[in-house]
Amino acid sequence: MTATTTAARKNTTAAAGNDTGESEPLLDTAPDPQPGLRAYLEVKRAALLAKREAQRTAPPTEPNRLRARTTAEERSGVRRIRIRRHQIISDSPLDFAGYDLGPASPEIQLGVLSSCLTHIFLIQAADLRIPLDSLEVEVQADQDPRAGQPGFEQVPIYPHNISYTVHVTSPADKERIRELHETVERKCPIYNLLINPQSITGRVVLTGSPEEI
């Protein structure tokens, strides 16, 4: 029996048992169009094949320029991250002049890695036709508050000892899951961003002035 049918029957029972004699309207119990991961992977595979076909017929001519912008909110110092039409709130804990309205930046970084790994697992599972019933990626790292202080000069100020664990339910055998895992590590953008040295340039512009510092 589906959850939808169960819900509908519960609503019917509730209506029949109404001692006021008035019938209660049933809740909308339309079925979920994409229940479970296996059904979703079929949708994902169709989107993946369509995207490949679109890129084949009209190949991209230049890289995409990704952008993110963060503003410190007045009085609270809350960091409002804007990416396209989306917003993410980052904040400090209560003991560091924050309101704990959102995760700190290092925590967001771990969340980005777990999100990207999860997405690439879904993409590659769809591409390789490996059925998945459930998927969860947990990322952990160390960040030592003593970093840079006397006696801890060599301790990194950034999150380190990063590790991740994938919890997956699938009827596929171990060899296919191993193939999936290896493919994900080759193709995950954020995973490869973090394991490879990067070059970052920066500048500071004074508001209302053409001068750069």
Side-chain angles (χ1 to χ4, degrees):
M1 181 186 300
T2 65
T4 298
T5 304
T6 303
R9 290 189 178 180
K10 285 182 178 179
N11 287 314
T12 302
T13 302
N18 185 356
D19 56 12
T20 64
E22 299 178 359
S23 61
E24 296 178 354
L26 297 179
L27 296 176
D28 182 6
T29 54
D32 186 343
Q34 297 180 13
L37 274 183
R38 291 203 207 184
Y40 171 74
L41 289 179
E42 291 299 326
V43 176
K44 194 69 166 180
R45 179 173 174 79
L48 177 63
L49 296 178
K51 196 174 186 68
R52 283 180 179 164
E53 178 61 19
Q55 291 179 344
R56 186 188 68 80
T57 56
T61 58
E62 60 185 14
N64 293 326
R65 188 67 173 172
L66 307 179
R67 291 180 174 84
R69 178 167 51 94
T70 300
T71 304
E73 298 288 303
E74 294 183 3
R75 302 189 63 164
S76 69
V78 168
R79 281 85 68 191
R80 189 179 300 274
I81 306 168
R82 292 178 173 88
I83 302 171
R84 292 188 285 123
R85 62 181 180 276
H86 308 291
Q87 295 189 27
I88 303 171
I89 294 297
S90 178
D91 195 10
S92 302
L94 297 174
D95 64 358
F96 201 31
Y99 297 88
D100 204 19
L101 297 176
S105 300
E107 294 170 317
I108 292 177
Q109 178 61 72
L110 298 189
V112 169
L113 176 58
S114 67
S115 173
C116 195
L117 284 167
T118 301
H119 190 208
I120 303 304
F121 261 95
L122 292 172
I123 294 173
Q124 297 309 316
D127 196 22
L128 297 171
R129 303 310 300 263
I130 297 176
L132 302 179
D133 291 318
S134 68
L135 174 66
E136 181 179 83
V137 179
E138 180 182 8
V139 176
Q140 296 183 347
D142 294 330
Q143 187 172 28
D144 197 327
R146 301 167 296 179
Q149 297 180 13
F152 297 90
E153 292 85 357
Q154 303 306 314
V155 175
I157 61 171
Y158 48 83
H160 53 285
N161 296 332
I162 301 174
S163 64
Y164 71 88
T165 302
V166 182
H167 302 274
V168 61
T169 305
S170 172
D173 60 37
K174 292 182 179 180
E175 287 303 317
R176 296 231 67 199
I177 298 299
R178 185 175 296 111
E179 176 189 8
L180 174 60
H181 185 197
E182 292 174 352
T183 305
V184 167
E185 288 201 339
R186 286 199 308 272
K187 298 196 173 186
C188 180
I190 301 302
Y191 173 82
N192 284 279
L193 168 73
L194 294 175
I195 66 172
N196 290 290
Q198 302 297 321
S199 174
I200 300 177
T201 60
R203 63 192 182 117
V204 175
V205 178
L206 290 174
T207 302
S209 169
E211 297 183 5
E212 291 186 14
I213 300 177

